[in-house]
Structure formats: C-alpha cells, structure tokens
Amino acid sequence: MNGKFPRPLEIEIPENLKDWEEMYPPHYIFSKDRESWENRQFWFLDKIHAPDPMYPFDLIFHEAWQIALSQYTTRVFCIPPAQGVAQRIAGCYFYICAIEPPSEETIARKAELFQKRAFHVFQNYKRENYYEKWEKNFRALGEEIKNIEVPDLPTFEPEERVLPVPRGYYSSYDLMEAYNRIIDGIFKAWQYHFQYLNLSYLAYLTFADTVRKLFPSISESVIGKMVAGAYVVMFRPEEELAKLARLAISLGGNVRDILTSDRTPEEKLEELSNFPEGREWIHAFEEARDPWFYVSVGSGWFHYEGSWINTLEVPFSYIKNYIERIEKGERVERDLETIDSEREKLVREYMDLIKNEEDRKTFEDSYNICRDIYDYAENHLFWVEHWFHTIVFEKMREFGRLFTRYGMLENEDDIFLFNRFEIPMIIEDLVTSWALGENIPARSEYWKRKAEKRKDILEKARAWNPPPALGTVPEEIAEPFTVMLWGITSEKVSEWIKGVTYTAEDVTEIKGFAASGGVVEGRARVIRFLDEITELEEGEILVCPNTNPSWAPVFTRIKAAVTDIGGLTSHAAIVSREYGLPSVTGTGIATQVIKTGDIIRVDGDQGTVVILERSG
Amino acid sequence: MGDFVLSFEEADKRKLNLVGGKVSGLGELLKAGFPVPPGFAVTSVAYREFIRYNSLTEKIDELLSPIIESPDNYTLLEEVSSRIRNLIEKSEIPEVIKDEVLSAYFRLGEISGISDPGVAVRSSATAEDMDDASFAGQHDTYLNVRGGEEVIDKVRRCWASLFTPRVILYRIRHGIDHSEAQMGVAVQKMVKSEKSGVMFTIHPTSGRRDVVVVEAVWGLGEGLVSGICTPDSHVINKITHDVEERRISSKEIMVVYDEEKMDNVTVEVPENMKAIPCLSDEELSELVRIAREIEKYYGTPQDIEWAIDGTLKFPHNVFILQSRPETVWSKKDRGPVIGRKSGYDLIMDMALKTFKIPKR
C-alpha cells in the first residue's frame, strides 16, 4: 500500500457481510458516481462515536449531527476555511471526513459573516445568559418528546373519540404521527446541540494556541486544567448518588443495610417500601431520577448501552460503594470549590510567568473568551447525548413493544435493526392490517427474517477490523472538531499509516496523546466491545477504542488506560486524570497491535505505549 | 571564628569580598534554609596574610616580569606559571591561620559525627568577573580530602591555582594587577553522591519559564558537567508539578570517587542500573520543590547543582551544591512573543487556519 490508505472503493469488505448496504440510506454508501470527490477526501474510522458495527436505527443521531454540525460551520457562523464533516458507512463501520476547504472567494465571504456573527455570540454568551436560555429550550424539547404518547391500536375506537362529534383522525394516524414527531425532535435536538459547540471548540483551540506560543511545547493536559472545571453537569448523576448514599446513612439502620446488601435493585426497592424511612429514601431516589438518572451507561450513542433508569444495577452498586466509602471516612463528592480555586491559582501563576505586559494581556483576553463559553462544551453533553438520547431510546422501545405485541418483530430491541426510513414502513404495514379489519396478515415474516439476517451481519462485522483510514492523507488538519474531538493530527495519521503498512506484530511502540501523567507497566486487556468489560481483571491496563465517564467503576480497577481515538479532552483523558491513572489516548492502532495478555508500558507523560512482552 | 575562617552560615553575600562568590552563594542558600552540605571558607584575608608572611608579592612579580613583556609566548607562560605555583605550594602557612582552619575542620567532624570527615576543597574567586560561568572549572577542586594537614595542603594548592596560565593571561588581558589577585577557599563536607545532576528553573533551550528541567546521572555530577554521561532528563511543570517529559537514557558510564586512587574515575554503570531511572518520584518532586524555592528566594531563574547521598535517608539525602543565576535567557531583553492582540484577533487568526489536502 506504499504507506497510503486504500481508496474507499478498494476496501475489501468480507464476503460474509453480504447485503450490509441495505441497512443504511443510499447516501451513506461509497459509490462510483461520487468516486472522484470521495477519493480526494480523507476518511477515518470514527471509533469515538462508533466503535462497533452500526445499528441501522442508531445511525439517526449521526445523520442528525452530520447536517447540524456542518450547517453551523458552513451556513450559520461560517467558519471561513472549514467545511462540514461528511459521513459514510463501509461494511457496517462508520467513517467521517473533514472536507477540503471551499474556494478562496467563499472563504472571504464567510470571513465577513463569521466576524459579525461569531463575535456577537462570544460577546453576549455570558452577559446574556445564552447557556441558561439554551438549557431551557433544550429541556423543553426533551420534555415534549418524553410526553409523546405511543398509542396502542384498539379493537374499536373508544366512544368519546366518535361521539358526539367524530374526532376526524384516529389511532392509525396517531401512531404514525407519534413516530414522526420523535424523528423531528431528534433532528431538532441535534440542531440545538451545535448552537454553541463549534464556537466553544474554536475558543478553546485559540486559547491553546496562544498558550503554546508563550510556553512552547506545554502539555495539552495543563491547558486542559486551565479551562476545565465546568464539567459539572456530567458529574451531577454521580453527585446525586452520593447524596442518596449520605441520606441512607442518616436515615439509619435498615435503609443502609438493605442498600448495601447483595439483593437486586427491585428487591431493595420492594423492601424499602415497607417502612417509613425506606419510603422517604425512595422518594428522594424518585426525585433525582429525572433528569439525573437519564444518563447512559455508555456514551449515549447506542441503544444497547442502556441508561441508569433501565439498568438500575449500575446506580445501586454505586450507592452501595459510596455508603461503604463514606463510612470509612472517605470523601466521595468532588470538591468543587477546590477544583475552582486550583484552576484560578494555576492561571494566575501562569500569568505571573509572562514577563511581557502585552503578551500577558493577550493571554488574559484569550483565556477569558475561552472560559466564558467553554462551559457549553462540557454541559451540553449530559443534556443531549445522555438525557435526550435516553428519552429517545425509551420511546423507540415503546414502539418495539407494540411491534412484538402484534407479531411484527420477535423482540422489542429488534426495532433498532431498522433504519429510521424503514420503521415507518413497519408502522404503515401494521396500521394497514389493523385498519383492514379482522385476521388481515401483515408482512411480519418479512420483517422478522430481515431482523434475523441483520443480527447475523452485525455479529460477523464485529470480527472484521476495518482500515483506520481511507482516501487521501491531508497535509495538515485544522478543522476544530476534527482536531479537538477526534484528536486527529498529522502525527496521528502517520501512526495510522504505520498500522496499515506493518503487520500488528512488527509494531512495538505506538504514540498518542499524553493524556494523563505517570508511567506504569502491566498486563493489557483489550476490550473492543462494551460487553467484554466483565472479562477485565483487577490491575490490568485497559486498551480500548474509547471510553466514557460512566465507565467509572472500571477505572477503579485498572492501572492505566489506552485508547485508539480521542484527544486530551476525551472522556478517557478526563476520567484518567480524575483517578490519577496514566493514560495515552488517540493512538489509532492500540486495539489492533496490542493483544490481551501482552505486557505493556504506558507512559502518560510522553504519550507512548511500549509492548514489552508478547503473550503466548 | 576569626578573620581567616568563616563558617558557611556566616559567609553570606555581605562577605562576598572575603569568601568569594561560590561560598557566599552557599552561605545565602544555607541562611535561607536550603540543604547545603556544611562547611567553612578560608577567606581572602587568610590568602593575603599568607602572601605577606612569606613576602611572596615581590618574588611573584619578578617571576612574572618576562610574561608581561611577551604574553603570547605560551611555553614561557607555562614555565612561569609552574614556578609560581611551586613557590606557593612550598611556602609556609602562618600558625594562626593553620589553627583556625584546623579547629574549623575539627568542628565539621563534630557536627558530622566522625573524625577526619572527607571534604571537598575548592577555590572560590572573589573577583566578580572571574566567577563567570566561563571560568567554571578553571580553579582547582580536591575531592574527599581527609585530615587537617591534607586540608591545609589543598587550601594552599587552591591559592596556587590563581596562577595557572589561563588565569594569569586573563589578568593581563583585563589589566588586573597580579598583586590584587585573591581568593577564598571552600572546605565542604563531601556528599556520597549516589546520583547527582543539575537543574534549571527555566528551560535552557526554549526559555520556557513554567518548567524545571532536571538532569540526573549516576555517581558524581562531574560526569554530567563534563559531558561524558548522557543524563536522564525530566521536564517538570513548576506549577502543576506534572511531568511533561521524561527521557530515561541508557547510562553506560559514570564518574565515581575511587578511595584507593583518591581520585574521580570513570567506570561502567552496573548492568542492572543502566536502563532504570536514577531518581525516584519523591526525590524528583523534592528537587523540583527546592528549585522553585531557590528561584523564588533569588527572584531570577537559577542553574542549580545537586546531589543525593546514598548513605542517608530521604529527604535528608538531598543536597544543593551550588546555585547560580541562569545567564542566557535571563539577560535577554525579551520583547513580546505575540504582542498585543485582542481575543477576537486571535479567534479570527485561528478561524482562518486552513486545512490543506494535497491535490493529485
């Protein structure tokens, strides 16, 4: 391959994935008719958002962000040389690309618009409480979706809908409308998602660039520490659990004993409901439940990850753990005041080191812009990817249950095996047969067969290791999202080329971001999929495509974390710093070259991972 | 103590003329509470008394006169230098000076808990321009000197080093009268350096002020200063204490003091120590802490020599041997790096950065 990546149409997709294309919309597939443009771009596997083969319905959030992110960059705030981020799927894996810049003329026109629009937002964001307004709008949207009723199909419409004046439209339409409203809500939510995100990333990158000019080769983790601290909302679910743990202790004897027992969450709730203190605790639990337990157990992007509200074992095991730690005299809450004052001290001491007055003022300006808007980058995450997505998945499961009740599908989660354009067909098939009368067959067998076949394709796709990148390697990448969110830099790209050109066994050292300091050696545990996490043993080094904050229990058991994708503000980086574990992120190829059982050294100061000893 | 000998504690910067820059630097550090190995200075008054007692001024002037006429004759310079130093080394030190040195040395033994402690005897120049980094290593250093008589002998040899060819030439070039030459001598308890090195409170290559750079080698720092050993190198963030860079070198050789040869020798690093870091994490952070404190104390970036004594327990094993102001970056008049730009200018610059893709 000469150190180059294959062109999109050159990828050899395994035979056993035959018909994978039919799961996704046609504009997601690499094709002859767009070949010359597609060859010219640089496509990389988006393991941060999609480490696993893509379930057809779950693609909807990506469809929505492709449009929204890109539109804000190209049509709304008009970041001059940046275009959108395009997406494709190949063999069930998700690729993205930051597109080549537009013409010089367009750049110039965009520059004017950008200056006016973006600067206005920067100036007013804090002053005019843009964040608070955003949160209010967004939560209203989420509530609206949560309150959509997914109606059942009655044998006969109830009388009140017919008399005295017929309602005019009935359950068949209600069902179709409910679905459409959910879909509309998803697209709208993702438009809101990027309302300030492009600009907050731009402000961060600008500040980081300023700091690097004044303190050459300063580590990104120090820059991260200067702006961090606004990570509050994402930590709120855990804080709520800490409160519930303290309440359990203060309520005394039985509540504490029940919650620290080995019973299931359901049994615990049942027992607690039998006495006043228990009921008081349940009341507090219910109070916190919405919105705070609408937090994904994973990244929030996939229906199969689950959220706390439907995997109660997770919050209940946290509570048990917190109660035990509090009783040992440990502090389980994050000390927000200390975090704030340490950040301020850090920034102040850095400013003291800048001897030139002009430079110091420049630093301060750049810092203030970034600090003002950066809370958006941290806070939106909970509301969109966690709370809102949980609402959507729960709604879709209501449809799934309806489908299984009418024999359209075998299991409620099978609905996620169909893309968002196909589900209306199932709904239409169902309401048609309902409308036609008694014993009218729908094409249930067709849908069930399709579901079975797709399960099989997705399972087989897991065994395939798609190339990390396709198309033409760029000279330089500066598009804010690509750099910041995916940690893609030219160095990363050359590392990937290594991964493509050499066989995994030849590589003994890989590089990534020095995301969290420290050096440790230990046994690697490669976890490619979430459900393999149970195999992890105490004291191993986690090697995975990427992680997210609700993997927290895992981080108490590992020595270090290594990821394929992600920069210094990725979840793995943040959580590792919180837990004081060395971490190297954005290696591109760690899960390909490291095997479970290998002895590796993770150097979180240098951003290197060395394979010291191969297993077996 | 008397006029001829001052303990380090007494020898702060007000005594610069008496004890020389090196000692007054140590005195300052000690006064500020930094872990400097204990010792005393033989003052420039003692040197002048020694010269006077032996009527050496005239004799030296006489020996020097042919050089003044032809300072470029290096063979002659070598010969004259050697004769003067010989003369000094053969001259008697007055009893009164000897007594003060011996009793100071005895006291050093008392506080160290051993008689005849090993000491390093080093010259400490009083002329400020001779204390320049460019003169480092020009004067003699004697390591692991034991016993009062030996100490006295080495003090005399240090005095003699005022007349090495280069120092003589230096004075001629700068128009300094040879009779003005004087120096202090530092007598300092030896550290049994298991490892040692230097640290800078400013990045020596980039001038970054938010880091401390710590370089460490096994054995004595001479191996590092002379450039024969590749050190472990650490870049530590001064403010967060994060390790920003850590390069553990393969350390093949080290300089150690050989008791039998009574000299520093270069030996191979034991196999099991070659690839491992010299410094433990706690030692490293203690060094960084001290470096920051010293920098704060002086108010300017510092270049610090340190050693870790293998016979003592942490944190009592960490010693500061010397601290000098960093000269290269500190002297630069640093203009603005970015200059005055508004946050919006910076945002605009960033927003305009292009994303280049090579065309086929």
Side-chain angles (χ1 to χ4, degrees):
Chain A
M1 253 173 266
N2 265 339
K4 288 222 176 91
F5 297 110
R7 293 175 177 196
L9 290 178
E10 288 169 359
I11 329 173
E12 287 166 27
I13 295 169
E15 280 295 310
N16 61 7
L17 304 187
K18 191 174 166 303
D19 295 335
W20 64 270
E21 303 95 324
E22 67 174 46
M23 291 194 274
Y24 312 103
H27 63 280
Y28 267 85
I29 314 294
F30 289 110
S31 63
K32 273 280 167 204
D33 45 334
R34 293 191 289 189
E35 191 183 12
S36 75
W37 185 83
E38 286 170 341
N39 281 347
R40 217 163 57 230
Q41 315 302 324
F42 180 59
W43 305 90
F44 54 91
L45 198 59
D46 180 10
K47 282 192 180 170
I48 197 167
H49 292 114
D52 301 349
M54 181 68 73
Y55 273 79
F57 181 79
D58 295 359
L59 182 66
I60 191 168
F61 300 124
H62 301 272
E63 293 174 42
W65 79 245
Q66 172 171 231
I67 298 168
L69 179 156
S70 305
Q71 150 199 287
Y72 273 100
T73 305
T74 59
R75 315 279 174 186
V76 182
F77 291 120
C78 306
I79 298 177
Q83 300 249 51
V85 175
Q87 308 173 349
R88 292 290 185 273
I89 289 191
C92 306
Y93 284 92
F94 185 66
Y95 285 83
I96 59 168
C97 115
I99 306 164
E100 59 184 351
S103 67
E104 285 302 321
E105 192 199 333
T106 305
I107 292 178
R109 286 179 58 199
K110 284 170 81 182
E112 262 177 59
L113 294 167
F114 171 80
Q115 193 157 9
K116 182 164 182 203
R117 298 174 180 186
F119 289 4
H120 180 85
V121 172
F122 285 125
Q123 263 156 10
N124 291 283
Y125 181 84
K126 196 106 246 161
R127 200 192 307 161
E128 300 290 330
N129 301 318
Y130 282 8
Y131 176 74
E132 289 72 15
K133 287 173 188 161
W134 179 88
E135 192 184 302
K136 188 162 167 274
N137 287 339
F138 192 81
R139 292 181 70 171
L141 175 65
E143 290 300 328
E144 193 186 316
I145 304 304
K146 206 193 310 161
N147 294 327
I148 290 173
E149 194 198 341
V150 180
D152 200 350
L153 298 166
T155 309
F156 301 106
E157 289 289 341
E159 194 155 300
E160 65 272 18
R161 289 195 182 168
V162 188
L163 301 177
V165 181
R167 185 173 173 239
Y169 55 92
Y170 291 97
S171 302
S172 57
Y173 174 79
D174 289 340
L175 197 63
M176 292 191 282
E177 190 198 35
Y179 177 80
N180 291 337
R181 282 179 63 204
I182 295 168
I183 300 304
D184 289 348
I186 294 170
F187 278 86
K188 195 172 189 183
W190 273 89
Q191 303 255 326
Y192 278 136
H193 177 279
F194 291 100
Q195 193 168 343
Y196 302 113
L197 196 61
N198 309 45
L199 296 185
S200 64
Y201 281 8
L202 188 62
Y204 173 84
L205 290 173
T206 302
F207 174 63
D209 189 59
T210 306
V211 180
R212 274 197 215 92
K213 280 185 181 135
L214 295 168
F215 300 95
S217 73
I218 185 172
S219 75
E220 186 114 21
S221 67
V222 177
I223 304 175
K225 279 180 191 160
M226 292 191 212
V227 297
Y231 205 68
V232 179
V233 179
M234 197 59 232
F235 279 99
R236 184 72 185 271
E238 283 176 49
E239 284 159 12
E240 290 296 322
L241 295 183
K243 269 193 238 166
L244 286 168
R246 289 202 186 274
L247 178 66
I249 293 169
S250 72
L251 285 172
N254 268 350
V255 177
R256 180 228 168 267
D257 293 345
I258 292 166
L259 286 170
T260 52
S261 70
D262 288 328
R263 274 155 278 195
T264 67
E266 290 73 20
E267 287 165 355
K268 288 177 183 175
L269 287 169
E270 170 65 30
E271 278 195 59
L272 288 167
S273 69
N274 291 333
F275 58 101
E277 292 85 356
R279 283 193 293 274
E280 193 183 334
W281 190 88
I282 290 176
H283 179 73
F285 179 81
E286 288 300 327
E287 290 274 288
R289 194 171 166 278
D290 187 4
W292 305 118
F293 299 165
Y294 279 59
V295 58
S296 171
V297 172
S299 62
W301 289 89
F302 307 104
H303 73 275
Y304 50 82
E305 294 170 327
S307 297
W308 287 7
I309 57 161
N310 50 39
T311 48
L312 286 176
E313 306 76 38
V314 176
F316 273 82
S317 75
Y318 264 105
I319 291 170
K320 178 173 193 268
N321 178 269
Y322 280 163
I323 291 175
E324 287 161 358
R325 281 171 56 194
I326 291 167
E327 287 176 340
K328 270 189 234 157
E330 284 177 44
R331 184 192 172 98
V332 294
E333 294 87 355
R334 296 163 80 234
D335 183 350
L336 297 179
E337 271 174 33
T338 308
I339 291 171
D340 272 347
S341 69
E342 276 177 3
R343 184 193 58 240
E344 281 160 22
K345 183 165 163 266
L346 174 68
V347 173
R348 206 171 45 244
E349 292 193 50
Y350 258 93
M351 285 188 47
D352 287 347
L353 289 175
I354 305 171
K355 294 297 165 200
N356 182 281
E357 181 81 6
E358 292 183 359
D359 283 345
R360 195 164 52 241
K361 286 218 172 86
T362 300
F363 174 96
E364 197 176 4
D365 271 11
S366 161
Y367 178 71
N368 287 340
I369 289 187
C370 182
R371 269 294 296 159
D372 275 359
I373 200 167
Y374 200 66
D375 66 338
Y376 185 79
E378 311 278 41
N379 285 340
H380 80 281
L381 186 68
F382 173 80
W383 294 114
V384 185
E385 278 94 328
H386 290 264
W387 182 68
F388 188 82
H389 283 194
T390 299
I391 291 171
V392 168
F393 288 135
E394 288 295 291
K395 278 290 154 203
M396 292 312 294
R397 287 196 174 94
E398 287 187 46
F399 276 96
R401 283 194 289 276
L402 187 79
F403 290 165
T404 54
R405 235 174 11 250
Y406 290 92
M408 305 296 283
L409 293 176
E410 209 63 60
N411 309 298
E412 68 177 61
D413 272 14
D414 288 352
I415 192 172
F416 300 110
L417 291 160
F418 296 89
N419 70 47
R420 64 121 169 163
F421 299 101
E422 293 172 317
I423 293 168
M425 286 197 263
I426 306 178
I427 295 173
E428 189 178 319
D429 188 9
L430 172 63
V431 300
T432 304
S433 82
W434 172 80
L436 285 171
E438 203 170 55
N439 296 326
I440 311 294
R443 292 213 62 191
S444 318
E445 290 313 308
Y446 173 84
W447 301 117
K448 285 180 187 165
R449 262 203 322 275
K450 230 173 203 5
E452 281 315 303
K453 183 178 166 192
R454 290 179 176 189
K455 263 185 219 167
D456 185 54
I457 294 173
L458 289 168
E459 189 53 41
K460 285 179 173 137
R462 286 183 162 219
W464 181 47
N465 228 340
L470 308 169
T472 309
V473 180
E475 248 172 30
E476 188 194 1
I477 299 177
E479 196 277 327
F481 282 92
T482 331
V483 176
M484 179 136 174
L485 204 49
W486 287 281
I488 310 295
T489 63
S490 6
E491 287 148 22
K492 288 289 108 57
V493 173
S494 8
E495 286 300 313
W496 291 350
I497 293 179
K498 225 193 229 178
V500 174
T501 331
Y502 299 87
T503 60
E505 287 69 28
D506 290 340
V507 182
T508 56
E509 181 174 340
I510 52 179
K511 286 198 175 116
F513 286 102
S516 177
V519 184
V520 295
E521 289 174 12
R523 190 171 183 276
R525 169 67 63 180
V526 181
I527 306 270
R528 291 201 62 208
F529 304 102
L530 207 61
D531 54 14
E532 298 164 4
I533 207 77
T534 49
E535 293 163 21
L536 186 127
E537 286 170 30
E538 187 90 28
E540 288 183 323
I541 295 173
L542 177 67
V543 179
C544 59
N546 71 312
T547 72
N548 45 67
S550 29
W551 287 34
V554 175
F555 278 80
T556 61
R557 302 178 55 209
I558 59 174
K559 258 186 174 169
V562 179
T563 70
D564 286 347
I565 293 279
L568 287 150
T569 45
S570 68
H571 291 132
I574 292 165
V575 180
S576 293
R577 291 199 290 268
E578 289 266 330
Y579 285 82
L581 302 171
S583 175
V584 176
T585 59
T587 62
I589 53 171
T591 59
Q592 285 175 55
V593 302
I594 299 169
K595 303 275 172 275
T596 292
D598 289 354
I599 305 299
I600 60 175
R601 180 196 298 137
V602 180
D603 188 331
D605 304 319
Q606 301 276 7
T608 57
V609 180
V610 180
I611 300 162
L612 301 168
E613 208 177 294
R614 289 279 184 191
S615 64
Chain B
M1 295 186 193
D3 289 345
F4 304 129
V5 170
L6 291 175
S7 72
F8 284 173
E9 285 86 346
E10 302 166 301
D12 61 21
K13 61 187 173 202
R14 289 166 305 177
K15 303 281 170 46
L16 178 68
N17 285 332
L18 290 180
V19 298
K22 186 176 174 67
V23 172
S24 76
L26 292 173
E28 283 293 307
L29 287 172
L30 204 62
K31 203 173 72 177
F34 295 107
V36 173
F40 59 88
V42 182
T43 66
S44 55
V45 175
Y47 170 74
R48 280 203 303 274
E49 176 57 20
F50 165 77
I51 296 290
R52 192 199 60 76
Y53 181 80
N54 291 290
S55 316
L56 290 177
T57 310
E58 300 75 21
K59 292 176 196 161
I60 290 170
D61 277 352
E62 200 185 312
L63 284 167
L64 278 170
S65 59
I67 292 298
I68 312 278
E69 280 149 36
S70 50
D72 295 332
N73 185 338
Y74 201 75
T75 325
L76 182 65
L77 177 65
E78 285 264 16
E79 197 194 312
V80 168
S81 159
S82 147
R83 285 175 66 185
I84 298 175
R85 280 180 291 149
N86 211 13
L87 174 69
I88 292 175
E89 282 162 24
K90 292 271 153 54
S91 299
E92 201 48 39
I93 296 184
E95 284 302 319
V96 51
I97 297 178
K98 273 190 187 173
D99 286 349
E100 280 196 26
V101 172
L102 287 176
S103 75
Y105 179 68
F106 180 77
R107 272 200 36 201
L108 198 56
E110 276 184 336
I111 60 170
S112 310
I114 41 168
S115 58
D116 288 351
V119 292
V121 182
R122 292 190 181 89
S123 51
S124 173
T126 52
E128 223 165 286
D129 45 359
M130 282 171 64
D131 199 33
D132 239 10
S134 60
F135 250 90
Q138 284 302 305
H139 299 296
D140 286 359
T141 293
Y142 301 92
L143 297 173
N144 220 40
V145 178
R146 284 178 195 277
E149 287 306 318
E150 280 295 308
V151 169
I152 284 167
D153 183 54
K154 297 303 183 288
V155 168
R156 194 160 33 201
R157 289 204 194 191
C158 281
W159 288 338
S161 73
L162 274 171
F163 294 91
T164 59
R166 283 194 59 177
V167 181
I168 295 172
L169 214 52
Y170 177 88
R171 279 194 298 268
I172 294 174
R173 298 236 162 99
H174 290 80
I176 301 167
D177 194 309
H178 294 283
S179 62
E180 302 277 299
Q182 55 180 0
M183 68 158 50
V185 176
V187 177
Q188 186 173 31
K189 168 121 195 316
M190 286 288 288
V191 174
K192 291 204 183 333
S193 301
E194 183 195 14
K195 42 209 170 185
S196 38
V198 294
M199 49 189 176
F200 305 92
T201 66
I202 186 169
H203 198 294
T205 51
S206 71
R208 259 179 80 182
R209 299 201 52 167
D210 60 332
V211 291
V212 177
V213 177
V214 181
E215 297 198 321
V217 293
W218 293 116
L220 295 162
E222 275 72 8
L224 175 59
V225 178
S226 63
I228 60 169
C229 300
T230 306
D232 289 345
S233 173
H234 315 74
V235 179
I236 316 287
N237 190 297
K238 249 182 223 175
I239 297 162
T240 63
H241 291 234
D242 288 350
V243 181
E244 293 198 5
E245 265 178 66
R246 189 200 304 258
R247 199 188 61 216
I248 304 305
S249 304
S250 168
K251 296 168 286 292
E252 300 297 326
I253 52 171
M254 60 182 176
V255 176
V256 292
Y257 183 78
D258 186 316
E259 296 272 351
E260 278 174 27
K261 290 184 186 153
M262 293 188 33
D263 199 0
N264 289 344
V265 291
T266 302
V267 297
E268 195 182 344
V269 173
E271 208 54 49
N272 60 351
M273 284 162 63
K274 280 182 180 168
I276 62 168
C278 296
L279 292 170
S280 70
D281 288 349
E282 62 178 6
E283 288 165 348
L284 186 60
S285 65
E286 175 67 2
L287 284 169
V288 171
R289 187 190 66 77
I290 295 172
R292 284 201 72 186
E293 295 283 312
I294 296 178
E295 182 186 43
K296 264 189 203 154
Y297 180 75
Y298 286 114
T300 56
Q302 298 286 305
D303 168 354
I304 300 160
E305 285 178 32
W306 55 268
I308 287 179
D309 190 319
T311 63
L312 299 171
K313 285 231 165 4
F314 181 83
H316 308 291
N317 57 351
V318 181
F319 291 101
I320 299 304
L321 305 181
Q322 173 157 233
S323 183
R324 289 184 299 220
E326 191 277 345
T327 48
V328 182
W329 290 96
S330 314
K331 278 181 186 165
K332 276 191 184 167
D333 177 25
R334 300 186 71 192
V337 177
I338 304 176
R340 186 71 187 106
K341 282 199 173 189
S342 74
Y344 299 114
D345 294 339
L346 296 167
I347 292 265
M348 201 65 200
D349 289 351
M350 179 54 69
L352 280 167
K353 274 201 176 172
T354 52
F355 167 57
K356 292 178 204 140
I357 302 176
K359 297 278 183 282
R360 297 220 156 163

